Amino acid sequence: MPVGDSTPRRDGRTTDTRQRIESTALQLFVTKGFAATSLKDIADELGITKAALYYHFPAKADLARGVFQPFIDDVDAVLDDLGGRRLPAEDVLAAYAGALLPHRGALAATLRDPGAVADLDLEGASFRWLAKLSALLGYEEATAESRVRTAVAVGGLTRALVLPEIEDEQARAVAVEAAVAALGRGTTAER
C-alpha cells in the first residue's frame, strides 16, 4: 500500500512528501547515523520547513517507525510464509536474503546506529527471526550449537547484504552458500 500524499499538483506532477521525507531521512541515517541526524537536517536537505516535516512526522520516533517498520514487517511476512515447510537451507536463507535486499539502506542504518530502531524492538525481532530461521533450517531443538550456528549463518549473511558487491547475483549466491556452510551440515533434504 503506498504511503503518503500522491495527489496531483497544478503542474501535473504528483507529490509524495511523506515518502520523500522517509527516503531522505534514510539516506541521512545511513551516512550520518540516526542519533546525529536531526529533523532540521532532514527538512534542510528536502528544502522544506520543519513545520512541514512535523505535519507528517510529529516526532523523530514516528519518522523512524515509518522508515524501519516496513523492513521488520517484510522479514516477518517472508518467514511466516515459509513456516512449516521443509525446504533446503539454501532456499530458506535465500528467501531471508530476498526479504532484506529491498531494505538494504534500512539494514545499513541499523547496523551503523542500532539506536535508530530503539522504539521498534529490532532486538526482539532479531531473536524472533533467529528462532524462526532455526526451526526452518531443521533444528528441532534449540541447543547451544544450533543457536550459535544459526546466529553465525544468519548474522554473516545479513552483514554481507550491505556490501556493495551484493548487487551482483553471483555474490548473493556466494553469501547464501557461505551461510549454509556456517550451518556445518547439508540442506534439510539431506538430513
Side-chain angles (χ1 to χ4, degrees), residues 145-161:
E145 181 181 348
S146 69
R147 288 172 46 86
V148 168
R149 287 189 181 280
T150 302
V152 169
V154 171
L157 177 59
T158 301
R159 190 56 115 157
L161 292 176

Side-chain angles (χ1 to χ4, degrees), residues 90 93-95 97-98 101 104 157 160-161 163-178:
E90 295 91 340
L93 293 170
L101 281 171
R104 285 178 65 203
L157 177 59
L161 292 176
L163 297 172
E165 296 86 353
I166 215 68
E167 293 290 333
D168 176 51
E169 192 156 325
Q170 260 187 320
R172 280 196 305 275
V174 169
V176 170
E177 181 183 314

Side-chain angles (χ1 to χ4, degrees), residues 76-85 136:
D76 278 334
V78 165
L79 295 180
D80 288 345
D81 184 52
L82 294 175
R85 294 198 249 162
L136 288 166

Side-chain angles (χ1 to χ4, degrees), residues 59-72:
K60 192 173 177 183
D62 297 317
L63 179 55
R65 238 181 323 284
V67 169
F68 297 109
Q69 191 63 53
F71 156 55
I72 293 169

Side-chain angles (χ1 to χ4, degrees), residues 25-33 37 109 112:
L26 179 57
Q27 290 171 7
L28 291 171
F29 295 161
V30 170
T31 57
K32 292 178 69 173
T37 302
R112 177 185 170 121

